[in-house]
Amino acid sequence: MIVHILSTGDEVLLGDIVDTNSAHLCRAVKDMGYKVQKITAVGDDVEKIASAITDISVCADICLVTGGLGPTSDDVTALACSRAAGEECEIDQEALTSMKAYFVKRGYELTRENEKQAMLPAGSKMMTNHNGTAPGFFMTLNQCLFFFMPGVPREMKVMMETEVKPVLSQRFGQAHGIFIERITVFGLGESGAGALLNGFHEIFPGMRLGFRVDFPVIEVKIILSDGLQEKEAAASKIKKAKDWVMERLQNKVVSEKGLSIPEEVGRLLAGQRKTLAVAESCTGGLISSMITDVAGSSEYFLFSGVTYSNDAKINILGVQKKTIIDHGAVHEETAREMAMGARLKAGADFGISTTGIAGPGGGTLAKPVGMVCIGLAGKDVSRAKTYRFAFDDREMNKKIFAVTALELLRRHLTGVPETS
Amino acid sequence: MIVHILSTGDEVLLGDIVDTNSAHLCRAVKDMGYKVQKITAVGDDVEKIASAITDISVCADICLVTGGLGPTSDDVTALACSRAAGEECEIDQEALTSMKAYFVKRGYELTRENEKQAMLPAGSKMMTNHNGTAPGFFMTLNQCLFFFMPGVPREMKVMMETEVKPVLSQRFGQAHGIFIERITVFGLGESGAGALLNGFHEIFPGMRLGFRVDFPVIEVKIILSDGLQEKEAAASKIKKAKDWVMERLQNKVVSEKGLSIPEEVGRLLAGQRKTLAVAESCTGGLISSMITDVAGSSEYFLFSGVTYSNDAKINILGVQKKTIIDHGAVHEETAREMAMGARLKAGADFGISTTGIAGPGGGTLAKPVGMVCIGLAGKDVSRAKTYRFAFDDREMNKKIFAVTALELLRRHLTGVPETS
C-alpha cells in the first residue's frame, strides 16, 4: 500500500509555518499499520497543485491532501483537483446544506465567498468538517484515492479521524504492520551506537534499526515492518532483537521503553517514593525545567536553587565560605556541599548539583569550558565527580551537563555503577 | 530560479519529528530573494532517494537536500546521489582530513563507521561541517545544482550559512540587495499583528513584511528587496517603514533590534547595573534557564529558587505560612511574597516570581489551567498580577508564563506601563 501526502500552501514554502499537519498524518497512517512513502509540498498555485496530483495519481494508492479549501482567492485546491481529473467544479448540495447548518447554528450569514467552498469537483464525495466551514472531499484519480482536507490543524485532525479513517478501513482494512521498539541511549554518539550494533541486519533479516538524535541523547528504534505478521510472532521476533541490542549497548541504555531521562528519573523516584532537590550553577535552571516538563513532577520534585553567585551558594545552600575560597566555585567539594545543601534545605531524599564552565567565556587551562563537577547527596551518599566535555557551545554544554547530572542520579537509583 | 528542497529520513515519514529543517531552509532561501517551489520528503531508502534526485534534477535549478549523511547503516544519501549520477562513491581526502582534525581536536578516535562519512560521490565537492563529523557536498546533476547537508539542525544551519550561501551567491549572485529589519513582538498572535499592519504594502510599495513565530513571541521582519538600491536610500526607506510599524504595534514591541526578551532584559539590567533574583513555581526553572542561555548573564543574575513544594516556598523564600493557608499557593499575595523573598535572600535589586497552573492536571474552576500570578519586587515596588491564558499544553503554558514574567520586569525597567 503506497501512501503519499500532499501539503499545499505558500506559508509552508515561505518558511512561515512548520508543516506539523504532515507529521500528524504520518503518525495517523502509521497507527493504521501503513507507512507514508513520500511527502510533497507545493504553493497555492492551480497548475502546480494539479501537476502534483497527476504525478501522485499514477504512483500511489492513497494520497492525503491538506490546505487550500478556504474561502479566499488563494484557496485553489478543489479547482486544481478538477483540472487534474478533467472535470468541472460544481455546487455540491450536501456540502451547501452542511455549511448552511454550520452557519445557522452560530448565527452567521453565509457569504458568497463561503459558497465557493461548496464548489467540489464532479464525481467527488463530500466529507463533513466538524470544526469549520470548509468541507473536505474524496475522489479517485487513476489508481489513487485522494482525500482533500482543510489546512487548519484542528479541522484537519478531526476530519482525518471521523471521515477519512472510516473510509480507509472500509476499503483497505487495517494493515498489520509496523512494530517499533524504542530505546533511549546516553553516552554514545550516533556513530558509536551504530558501531556497537554492527551486524544487526545479518542476524535479524527483515528488521531494521533507526536512530534519532536529540542531543545529547539518542533514540534507537528497532523496526519490524515486513507485512502480515501475527501479532504474537512479531512480538517475539522484536523481543529477541531488542534483547540483542540491549546486550550490545549495555549501561548506555537509559530507558528500554524510550522514555526521556527526566521521565525515567521521575518514574524511578515516584516508584521508590523518594523526593529530589537540585542545586544548579552552570546549568542555570535547565535541570529543573527538564524535570518539571514532566507532568506529575510535583510528586517528587521539591526545590531547585539556581545559585549563580557565590554569595547565593553560601547564604542559600550553606556551602562553606572556606570551600569556595580554597577551591573556587567549580570544584568537586563545592558540588558536594551544594547537593547536600539543597537536599537539607528542602528536606528531600536526594540532592544533585552542577557547577562548571558552560562558556563561551570563563574557561582557564585548569578549568576549561566544558568542565563540570556534579554532586550527589542522599541519606547514605555524599560525593562528586568531574566530567570534561569538548563542546564550544553554551547551550550544548548546559544540556549535556544537565543530562549527565540526571544520569548520575538515575544510575544511583537503579544501582548501576556510574563510572564508565 | 526554481528552488526545491529534498528532506530525507524515516523519522519525518513516521511522524516522529516535524520537519523544521525545511522551514528553516525556506526562510533562508527567502532571505536571499528566492522562493522555494516544492518540498519533497522521502525515507531512508537508496532507490527512493535516487529516484527523487533524478526527478528534481530535470525540473529545478537548485536543490537543498538534508539528512542521511551520518555514520550508520540507515544513512544512504551519498550512495543514492552517486546512483542518480551514475558515479561511484569514493574516499574524499579533503573530507577525511577535515574529519580527522575534528576528532583529534576532541580527543576521539576515528572509527570505521566515521570513515564511511568521507565516501562522497565522484565529481562532488566537499563542504565542511563545523558542528559535527558528517561532511556535506555539492554537485551538479543534469540542470540542477544539489547541496547535500546533514539532518541535525544545528549542523545543517551552520553549513547553510558558511558553505552553501557563499556558493549560491557566487554562482547566481544575490537575487537583489536585501535589507531586513527585525522587531520582536509579544502579546499579539500572528494574525493580530498582521491585522494591525494592514495597509503596509500600499503605503510602502516594494517592501514587504515577514512574520516568524517563536511561541509566544513573534518576529516581524521588514524586507526591502527590490533591486540594487543605494545603501543610504535603502536605509532611509526602511527606517520610515520601521517607524510606521512600531507606531502600529505600540507597546507590543519588546525589542526594536530583534533581541529575544531575555537578551533585552539582560541588556537593560546590565546597562542600569542592577541585579536580579527569581522565584519560580509553575515555570519550574524555565525563566532561569532562559536568562542563563544569554552569555554574560552572571553579571546580573544572582539566584533563582525553584520552589515547587509549599514547604520550600515557606522555608527557603520566606513566604508566610498563613498566606498559603489563607490563599493557597496560586495567589497574588503568594507571588508577591515569593518575589520579595527571592530578592532579599539573594540581595538582588529586583525579584520576579511565578506561581500558577501549567497543567495538564491541577486546574479548578476558580484556578484553571493557564492561570498564573506574577510578582515583582524592588526597592520601590512590591506587587503582583494575575494572567489567564487559554492553552492546554504544559510546555506552552510554561513558556508564556516565563515570557510574561520577564516582560513585566522589562516594562518596569523601561518605565512602560505594564497594563494592557
Side-chain angles (χ1 to χ4, degrees):
Chain A
M1 183 72 63
I2 298 175
V3 185
H4 279 211
I5 288 174
L6 174 60
S7 167
T8 72
D10 280 348
E11 60 280 14
V12 167
L13 295 181
L14 290 171
D16 287 340
I17 62 166
V18 175
D19 184 10
T20 54
N21 279 351
S22 293
H24 178 86
L25 291 175
C26 284
R27 284 193 295 272
V29 166
K30 187 175 65 176
D31 288 347
M32 296 186 75
Y34 305 114
K35 186 187 152 195
V36 171
Q37 302 283 324
K38 195 171 187 175
I39 303 170
T40 307
V42 295
D44 295 313
D45 178 293
V46 180
E47 294 309 323
K48 282 181 190 137
I49 299 174
S51 151
I53 289 173
T54 305
D55 289 350
I56 293 168
S57 74
V58 294
C59 64
D61 302 305
I62 297 168
C63 182
L64 305 173
V65 189
T66 56
L69 302 184
T72 54
S73 58
D74 61 350
D75 292 306
V76 294
T77 302
L79 186 59
C81 173
S82 67
R83 290 260 177 100
E87 301 280 355
E88 295 295 314
C89 270
E90 49 193 34
I91 285 277
D92 184 290
Q93 287 306 327
E94 195 188 348
L96 197 62
T97 310
S98 148
M99 280 174 61
K100 277 187 183 151
Y102 186 94
F103 275 73
V104 165
K105 195 173 159 192
R106 284 160 182 77
Y108 299 143
E109 257 185 66
L110 204 68
T111 65
R112 186 162 298 224
E113 281 70 32
N114 289 118
E115 267 184 34
K116 173 191 155 238
Q117 296 180 293
M119 299 280 291
L120 302 185
S124 69
K125 180 91 184 63
M126 180 270 223
M127 296 192 292
T128 303
N129 184 344
H130 296 278
N131 262 346
T133 62
F137 58 95
F138 63 94
M139 79 183 289
T140 300
L141 276 88
N142 293 320
Q143 297 305 313
C144 182
L145 180 58
F146 285 81
F147 294 87
F148 294 85
M149 291 177 274
V152 180
R154 54 188 206 89
E155 299 181 17
M156 179 279 293
K157 286 178 188 174
V158 172
M159 193 178 284
M160 180 69 196
E161 282 307 307
T162 64
E163 310 294 310
V164 178
K165 277 191 175 176
V167 176
L168 282 177
S169 294
Q170 195 198 329
R171 297 233 185 157
F172 302 98
Q174 185 85 0
H176 297 281
I178 298 198
F179 300 88
I180 299 182
E181 283 281 338
R182 293 176 163 81
I183 296 170
T184 313
V185 176
F186 174 60
L188 286 170
E190 191 183 357
S191 61
L196 285 180
L197 300 178
N198 231 330
F200 178 89
H201 296 97
E202 288 73 46
I203 303 174
F204 301 100
M207 306 181 68
R208 63 199 171 79
L209 296 173
F211 297 86
R212 191 171 66 83
V213 180
D214 181 11
F215 179 84
V217 163
I218 298 175
E219 182 183 85
V220 176
K221 277 183 292 197
I222 305 165
I223 305 159
L224 170 61
S225 56
D226 69 338
L228 305 155
Q229 307 251 354
E230 293 266 339
K231 254 202 171 164
E232 275 179 28
S236 144
K237 262 191 167 179
I238 212 161
K239 178 164 186 319
K240 270 186 203 147
K242 186 175 175 180
D243 288 346
W244 185 90
V245 167
M246 301 264 296
E247 169 74 29
R248 291 290 180 106
L249 297 175
Q250 294 197 354
N251 65 357
K252 307 298 184 198
V253 173
V254 169
S255 162
E256 53 178 292
K257 292 191 192 311
L259 297 183
S260 71
I261 292 193
E263 284 170 341
E264 178 65 13
V265 165
R267 193 186 67 82
L268 290 166
L269 286 169
Q272 300 177 17
R273 297 178 174 278
K274 301 288 185 194
T275 54
L276 176 63
V278 184
E280 305 191 55
S281 184
C282 53
T283 45
L286 181 59
I287 298 180
S288 329
S289 190
M290 287 167 71
I291 292 172
T292 58
D293 276 344
V294 179
S297 45
S298 57
E299 198 182 329
Y300 47 83
F301 177 63
L302 302 185
F303 165 69
S304 173
V306 184
T307 50
Y308 236 47
S309 68
N310 285 340
D311 282 351
K313 289 183 185 73
I314 294 164
N315 298 334
I316 297 168
L317 294 178
V319 171
Q320 294 181 64
K321 198 167 182 177
K322 185 173 183 325
T323 303
I324 291 186
I325 292 170
D326 288 355
H327 303 297
V330 180
H331 190 275
E332 289 183 9
E333 181 53 25
T334 307
R336 204 180 63 82
E337 292 182 17
M338 286 172 68
M340 280 170 39
R343 173 178 180 263
L344 282 176
K345 279 279 165 182
D349 295 303
F350 291 103
I352 53 174
S353 70
T354 58
T355 179
I357 321 274
T364 63
L365 263 184
K367 296 180 179 180
V369 169
M371 172 178 160
V372 64
C373 301
I374 293 177
L376 172 65
K379 201 169 62 127
D380 310 313
V381 59
S382 164
R383 56 190 166 76
K385 206 181 153 189
T386 302
Y387 301 79
R388 286 159 195 271
F389 299 100
F391 305 102
D392 341 322
D393 183 272
R394 181 181 183 84
E395 278 186 54
M396 285 173 81
N397 276 326
K398 279 182 67 179
K399 271 191 193 167
I400 201 161
F401 295 172
V403 168
T404 302
L406 288 169
E407 173 65 358
L408 192 74
L409 173 62
R410 188 194 68 80
R411 291 191 175 199
H412 183 81
L413 291 171
T414 54
V416 178
E418 83 285 348
T419 40
S420 75
Chain B
M1 183 73 62
I2 298 175
V3 186
H4 278 211
I5 288 174
L6 174 60
S7 165
T8 74
D10 280 349
E11 59 279 16
V12 167
L13 294 180
L14 289 170
D16 286 341
I17 62 167
V18 175
D19 185 9
T20 55
N21 280 350
S22 293
H24 178 85
L25 291 174
C26 285
R27 286 193 296 271
V29 166
K30 188 175 63 176
D31 286 347
M32 295 187 75
Y34 305 115
K35 186 186 153 195
V36 171
Q37 302 284 324
K38 195 171 186 175
I39 303 170
T40 306
V42 295
D44 296 313
D45 179 296
V46 181
E47 293 311 321
K48 279 175 191 141
I49 299 174
S51 151
I53 289 174
T54 304
D55 289 350
I56 292 169
S57 74
V58 295
C59 63
D61 302 305
I62 297 168
C63 182
L64 305 173
V65 188
T66 57
L69 303 185
T72 52
S73 58
D74 62 348
D75 292 305
V76 294
T77 303
L79 186 60
C81 172
S82 68
R83 290 260 177 100
E87 301 279 355
E88 293 296 313
C89 272
E90 49 193 34
I91 286 276
D92 183 290
Q93 286 306 328
E94 193 187 348
L96 197 62
T97 310
S98 146
M99 281 174 58
K100 276 189 183 151
Y102 186 94
F103 275 73
V104 165
K105 192 173 161 196
R106 282 158 183 79
Y108 299 143
E109 259 185 61
L110 205 68
T111 64
R112 186 162 294 224
E113 281 70 30
N114 288 116
E115 272 187 27
K116 171 189 158 239
Q117 295 179 294
M119 299 280 292
L120 303 185
S124 69
K125 181 95 183 60
M126 180 270 226
M127 297 193 291
T128 303
N129 184 342
H130 296 279
N131 261 346
T133 62
F137 57 94
F138 63 95
M139 78 183 289
T140 301
L141 275 91
N142 293 319
Q143 298 304 314
C144 182
L145 179 57
F146 285 81
F147 293 88
F148 294 86
M149 292 177 274
V152 180
R154 50 179 211 91
E155 300 182 18
M156 179 278 293
K157 286 177 188 174
V158 171
M159 193 178 285
M160 181 69 196
E161 283 306 308
T162 64
E163 310 293 311
V164 177
K165 278 190 174 174
V167 175
L168 282 177
S169 295
Q170 195 199 329
R171 298 236 182 151
F172 303 98
Q174 186 83 358
H176 311 278
I178 292 201
F179 301 88
I180 298 182
E181 282 280 338
R182 291 179 163 80
I183 296 170
T184 313
V185 175
F186 174 60
L188 286 170
E190 191 182 357
S191 60
L196 285 181
L197 300 177
N198 231 331
F200 178 90
H201 296 96
E202 288 73 47
I203 303 174
F204 302 100
M207 306 182 68
R208 64 197 169 80
L209 294 173
F211 297 87
R212 189 172 66 82
V213 180
D214 180 13
F215 180 84
V217 163
I218 298 175
E219 182 184 84
V220 176
K221 277 183 291 199
I222 306 166
I223 304 159
L224 171 60
S225 57
D226 70 338
L228 305 156
Q229 308 246 357
E230 294 262 342
K231 256 204 169 163
E232 273 181 27
S236 144
K237 262 191 165 180
I238 213 163
K239 180 167 184 321
K240 269 186 203 149
K242 188 175 173 179
D243 288 347
W244 186 90
V245 167
M246 300 265 295
E247 169 75 29
R248 291 292 180 106
L249 297 175
Q250 293 197 354
N251 65 357
K252 306 298 185 198
V253 174
V254 169
S255 161
E256 52 177 293
K257 292 191 191 312
L259 296 182
S260 71
I261 293 193
E263 285 170 341
E264 178 66 13
V265 166
R267 193 185 69 80
L268 290 166
L269 285 169
Q272 300 178 18
R273 296 177 175 276
K274 301 287 185 196
T275 55
L276 175 64
V278 183
E280 306 191 53
S281 185
C282 53
T283 46
L286 182 59
I287 297 180
S288 328
S289 190
M290 287 167 70
I291 292 172
T292 59
D293 276 344
V294 179
S297 45
S298 56
E299 197 182 330
Y300 48 83
F301 177 63
L302 302 184
F303 166 69
S304 172
V306 184
T307 49
Y308 236 48
S309 68
N310 285 341
D311 282 351
K313 290 182 183 74
I314 294 163
N315 298 331
I316 297 167
L317 295 178
V319 172
Q320 294 182 64
K321 197 168 182 175
K322 186 174 182 322
T323 303
I324 292 187
I325 291 170
D326 287 356
H327 303 295
V330 180
H331 190 277
E332 288 183 9
E333 181 54 23
T334 308
R336 205 179 61 81
E337 293 182 17
M338 286 171 68
M340 281 169 39
R343 172 178 181 264
L344 282 176
K345 280 280 165 181
D349 295 303
F350 291 102
I352 54 174
S353 70
T354 59
T355 179
I357 321 274
T364 63
L365 263 184
K367 296 180 178 179
V369 169
M371 171 178 163
V372 64
C373 302
I374 293 178
L376 171 66
K379 203 169 61 126
D380 309 312
V381 58
S382 164
R383 55 190 166 78
K385 205 180 153 190
T386 301
Y387 300 79
R388 286 159 196 271
F389 299 99
F391 306 102
D392 33 26
D393 183 272
R394 182 180 183 83
E395 279 186 52
M396 286 172 85
N397 275 326
K398 279 182 66 179
K399 272 191 192 167
I400 200 161
F401 294 173
V403 168
T404 302
L406 287 169
E407 173 65 358
L408 193 73
L409 174 61
R410 188 194 69 80
R411 292 192 174 198
H412 183 81
L413 291 171
T414 54
V416 178
E418 83 287 348
T419 40
S420 75

